[in-house]
Amino acid sequence: MLWWLPILMCVGIIANGLRLRGRLRRLDTVPASGRPVDPRHEFLVARDVRLTAAARRAVSNHASRERLRVLDLIPADLPVERALDVARMVDTRTYRSDRGAAGRGAFQAILADAELLDRAGIHQREGFDPVELVDIIARLKNHATIGTDLVVVPGLSAARDDPVSRARVQKRTYRGKPLNLLAPTFRDIAMVCGGSVNLRWALVATVLFWLQPFFVCAGRVPLRPRDLARSPVVRILAGVAFVIAAARNGRRTAAQKKARKSSGLSVDGAKKDTRIAAVRCRDSLQHRLGEGIETLLEPVRETCPWCGSPDLVTRLESRDLQQRKPGRFRLQRCRGCGHVFVNPRLTNAGSDFFGRDHERLRDGFPPDSGAYPGDEHNNDCDGVHKDLVGGPVGYFSGGIRVYRERAEMQRPFAAPRSWLDVGTGSGRFCDLARDIWPDTVFDGLDTSPGVTEAGCRGWVDHAFRGTLADRAPELGGRYDVVSMFRYLEYVRDPYLELDLAAKTLVAGGYLLLELPNTQCPAAGFLGRFWVGWSVPRHLHLPTPDNLTAALAERGLRPVALRFGRVHRPGDLTAAVHLALQWLAPDPRSPWLPDGPTGWRRLRRGSALVLATPLFLAAAAMDFLLQPVFHGGRRANAFRVVARKDF
């Protein structure tokens, strides 16, 4: 039945080879230069990498001429598998101009502007591990979103290739993207399955795979990998080479530990510090939870906060499925107006407790980014549960396409001179919106310290930390556009926020909003596993009709109400994730009692394995069902554009 699989793999290997070759051919090679190195430029070089003085002059001159602030330097003799990794990670056609592209490269050496390094908090200048350069280039790309590029450098000699080091670099680069790491495994499984039914074409696919480096790197390509001639042998013996390298690395690590132990030093200080911090964090949280979850809740309301009607019905009851923090919460719906709200509502302390870690992924911080820059609260837990953020990251962060579609909402109306993004988080939207509105001044307001980092990165022109109520007096009547994307559902008083937004706009200005659509089909058939409920963080979920009516009452005339393409595919995939969190939460979560027991680890690992086919099936269904949810009001979100006429 699978006789066609090896043939499909042959086509895929050839097509992928063409794609990778095209990316490598577009790389620039720096020309020689006799000019001295610009004093503003600093070089960060990995261990065992040699960068000559002539190469430094050439790279510095290239950066000055092209007005670049960051350059990832690619050795011309980069080993072939590393060269292929660069082609896989970076679309060289758009990398420099794409504000949303992640910082990637060869991770051998970096040129960066000294002022930019200081602003990014990078003070080390030498002795880097390639894995450290993965984080550094990602951070620098965030600070210079359209001033970063890659370039091939003659005179730069790559470090000796090590399969274990390469695996570590890949793991760090693709963190949060397990499918990228598992792709080779899927390929090998497909080859084995295909060989059992169509041996001839499976052998052809295997030979094409062995010879792919020649096709990608030979000829008119700026790179000249030093091991290109033996690359087929390298691929054939890749598994053996990895085992040998891992054994050598293990012996070297053991010798280093033995030497440190004999000297009376800690064998692994970093791990010990991490364990101590984890225990401290767990004790702090358990002490806080010992006071009872009731201290984080307000008294129960008897009337609807939107229309005042006492006719309330329970919509659903649920735990915090995204993070599995303790407590059970109730969503109620008003029979009079349809408004859905959490009852009882979280107190300010409760919103901080349940929203703190969730904001990392909503604001665009990666799961392993640690505490927000400048965060001064909950110091016992900063950086300890940084990789435990629950929820499907792609759903909340929205993705680059969603950010740009939001910016396009304003195009049919008027070109804004000034734009305030309320609830901006890390400011990613403002940065990406500059591609569409290059002459607009983008300001950001948020209560989280992420907005301060946004100002440091240059993603917003002015960063305001605080609530809209705090800043309303100084911001009144200043903006042509105010946006509240995925914001209103988190606030305690939606009416107050709309009043303040109206005061912030100039006459003829526009208010842009986006919220979850609780009337969509997914909210009904997925029940508490619909990610749009986000219990208990979403305090208010107004209906589209209620929201447009409230806007009109405040002199904000709705001029557009959109569903359709506002829909975010991923409801079923997110539901599988929430079910997984419900059945087998991550045992490292510090808010769970008793710590990470062996049984919890086993249950979590087994659940992840068993859920893999469900994730794949759910993702396929989400993709196939998109046209269904693009019709009528079936989208899981909606957007409103309202104009202030006077």
Side-chain angles (χ1 to χ4, degrees):
M1 186 175 64
L2 296 176
W3 62 268
W4 48 268
L5 186 58
I7 300 176
L8 182 63
M9 290 196 64
C10 291
V11 175
I13 291 172
I14 294 173
N16 188 47
L18 287 170
R19 179 179 70 96
L20 299 181
R21 181 177 177 83
R23 288 185 171 186
L24 292 182
R25 287 191 63 179
R26 283 189 287 268
L27 288 171
D28 290 329
T29 301
V30 294
S33 175
R35 294 183 178 180
V37 174
D38 192 316
R40 297 173 301 172
H41 292 159
E42 297 276 359
F43 291 88
L44 313 182
V45 183
R47 287 189 293 269
D48 301 325
V49 174
R50 296 189 303 276
L51 181 62
T52 65
R56 291 173 185 261
R57 292 194 299 270
V59 171
S60 179
N61 180 59
H62 177 82
S64 299
R65 185 175 64 253
E66 297 292 327
R67 298 181 180 179
L68 296 171
R69 306 196 70 187
V70 181
L71 270 175
D72 186 272
L73 312 183
I74 305 176
D77 66 343
L78 190 68
V80 65
E81 292 298 337
R82 297 266 191 174
L84 293 175
D85 285 342
V86 172
R88 294 184 187 105
M89 295 175 185
V90 182
D91 185 350
T92 53
R93 179 173 50 88
T94 61
Y95 181 72
R96 183 194 294 194
S97 59
D98 187 356
R99 294 178 182 271
R104 303 278 173 80
F107 313 122
Q108 301 285 306
I110 299 171
L111 173 145
D113 187 281
E115 184 271 334
L116 191 68
L117 288 171
D118 291 338
R119 191 148 49 88
I122 300 170
H123 306 295
Q124 183 182 347
R125 294 295 187 266
E126 57 185 14
F128 293 97
D129 182 270
V131 177
E132 294 176 310
L133 292 184
V134 173
D135 293 333
I136 288 174
I137 190 65
R139 197 185 311 175
L140 292 175
K141 181 68 162 72
N142 282 336
H143 283 77
T145 51
I146 55 173
T148 303
D149 205 357
L150 306 93
V151 68
V152 178
V153 184
L156 174 64
S157 299
R160 180 178 177 275
D161 194 28
D162 179 356
V164 175
S165 175
R166 177 171 172 254
R168 290 174 57 231
V169 167
Q170 287 180 326
K171 182 179 179 180
R172 190 65 178 171
T173 303
Y174 292 128
R175 60 192 184 277
K177 297 182 178 180
L179 289 180
N180 294 78
L181 291 173
L182 294 174
T185 303
F186 293 149
R187 179 201 63 216
D188 295 341
I189 293 174
M191 281 191 174
V192 171
C193 294
S196 64
V197 294
N198 194 342
L199 181 59
R200 180 181 301 175
W201 278 99
L203 291 174
V204 173
T206 302
V207 172
L208 284 174
F209 172 70
W210 289 343
L211 298 178
Q212 189 186 53
F214 283 112
F215 175 67
V216 175
C217 298
R220 299 177 61 185
V221 174
L223 296 177
R224 294 290 182 269
R226 60 194 180 206
D227 59 345
L228 182 59
R230 63 177 187 275
S231 59
V233 178
V234 172
R235 287 202 155 188
I236 293 170
L237 301 177
V240 177
F242 181 83
V243 171
I244 294 174
R248 289 176 177 172
N249 188 66
R251 287 197 300 269
R252 184 166 54 250
T253 302
Q256 292 172 350
K257 288 183 178 180
K258 184 177 180 180
R260 290 182 63 86
K261 189 174 182 180
S262 62
S263 302
L265 301 175
S266 174
V267 173
D268 195 335
K271 286 187 177 180
K272 183 178 179 180
D273 292 344
T274 300
R275 286 194 296 267
I276 293 173
V279 172
R280 187 186 302 120
C281 173
R282 183 177 299 279
D283 291 343
S284 173
L285 285 171
Q286 293 301 325
H287 178 268
R288 184 173 184 181
L289 293 172
E291 301 172 2
I293 197 69
E294 296 78 13
T295 61
L296 303 178
L297 301 175
E298 295 182 348
V300 177
R301 282 189 66 105
E302 301 297 335
T303 59
C304 172
W306 195 268
C307 70
S309 170
D311 192 6
L312 305 178
V313 62
T314 298
R315 177 64 178 81
L316 59 88
E317 291 187 1
S318 176
R319 297 184 181 276
D320 176 8
L321 296 179
Q322 289 167 15
Q323 300 178 77
R324 280 303 303 269
K325 289 184 176 181
R328 190 169 184 85
F329 308 92
R330 180 175 58 193
L331 283 179
Q332 290 199 301
R333 181 176 63 85
C334 174
R335 286 178 174 172
C337 68
H339 184 70
V340 178
F341 62 101
V342 174
N343 195 17
R345 187 176 64 179
L346 297 175
T347 62
N348 287 326
S351 295
D352 176 71
F353 177 74
F354 286 97
R356 176 181 174 79
D357 303 292
H358 182 263
E359 283 177 349
R360 297 178 199 273
L361 92 189
R362 185 168 63 90
D363 294 350
F365 280 82
D368 58 348
S369 63
Y372 281 121
D375 202 347
E376 66 273 16
H377 303 294
N378 294 337
N379 291 327
D380 285 343
C381 296
D382 279 351
V384 176
H385 49 282
K386 58 192 178 185
D387 57 341
L388 304 178
V389 183
V393 175
Y395 186 93
F396 288 102
S397 62
I400 295 171
R401 178 187 63 82
V402 171
Y403 289 131
R404 288 177 175 155
E405 286 180 354
R406 290 170 176 173
E408 291 279 2
M409 290 172 62
Q410 183 62 24
R411 192 177 291 279
F413 305 107
R417 294 166 298 177
S418 56
W419 188 313
L420 176 66
D421 186 37
V422 181
T424 194
S426 65
R428 172 63 82 179
F429 163 76
C430 295
D431 183 56
L432 293 172
R434 296 181 194 277
D435 288 337
I436 298 166
W437 305 105
D439 299 324
T440 301
V441 174
F442 284 94
D443 295 346
L445 182 146
D446 202 280
T447 57
S448 77
V451 70
T452 305
E453 178 72 0
C456 180
R457 291 175 175 178
W459 287 5
V460 297
D461 293 297
H462 302 95
F464 301 105
R465 186 174 179 186
T467 65
L468 189 55
D470 296 334
R471 296 285 188 167
E474 63 181 293
L475 300 180
R478 283 178 51 176
Y479 293 98
D480 298 319
V481 174
V482 173
S483 55
M484 294 179 168
F485 300 124
R486 298 286 171 152
Y487 168 79
L488 207 61
E489 60 268 37
Y490 291 93
V491 302
R492 307 178 64 78
D493 187 349
Y495 282 157
L496 174 62
E497 298 293 327
L498 295 179
D499 290 335
L500 295 174
K503 294 177 181 178
T504 305
L505 287 168
V506 299
Y510 292 85
L511 174 63
L512 280 55
L513 302 106
E514 178 182 305
L515 291 93
N517 179 18
T518 60
Q519 298 176 332
C520 71
F525 67 75
L526 291 177
R528 59 176 172 161
F529 295 105
W530 182 54
V531 71
W533 296 123
S534 193
V535 178
R537 283 161 290 275
H538 285 179
L539 304 180
H540 295 277
L541 292 162
T543 66
D545 293 337
N546 282 352
L547 184 59
T548 53
L551 290 170
E553 291 172 0
R554 287 157 177 78
L556 298 169
R557 176 171 54 88
V559 293
L561 175 60
R562 299 175 184 171
F563 295 88
R565 286 186 58 82
V566 183
H567 177 80
R568 294 190 192 179
D571 283 328
L572 295 176
T573 308
V576 173
H577 174 88
L578 295 180
L580 176 66
Q581 286 288 90
W582 174 56
L583 294 171
D586 193 311
R588 298 169 297 167
S589 301
W591 40 81
L592 295 179
D594 304 326
T597 62
W599 162 243
R600 282 181 174 170
R601 293 182 187 276
L602 177 62
R603 184 174 63 175
R604 177 70 172 184
S606 302
L608 285 171
V609 172
L610 295 174
T612 299
L614 295 178
F615 274 115
L616 296 176
M621 289 298 296
D622 281 327
F623 176 77
L624 294 174
L625 289 175
Q626 285 188 69
V628 175
F629 293 109
H630 285 176
R633 291 191 170 194
R634 293 188 289 271
N636 57 17
F638 67 95
R639 294 178 187 146
V640 179
V641 181
R643 187 177 190 275
K644 180 180 179 180
D645 289 324
F646 52 86

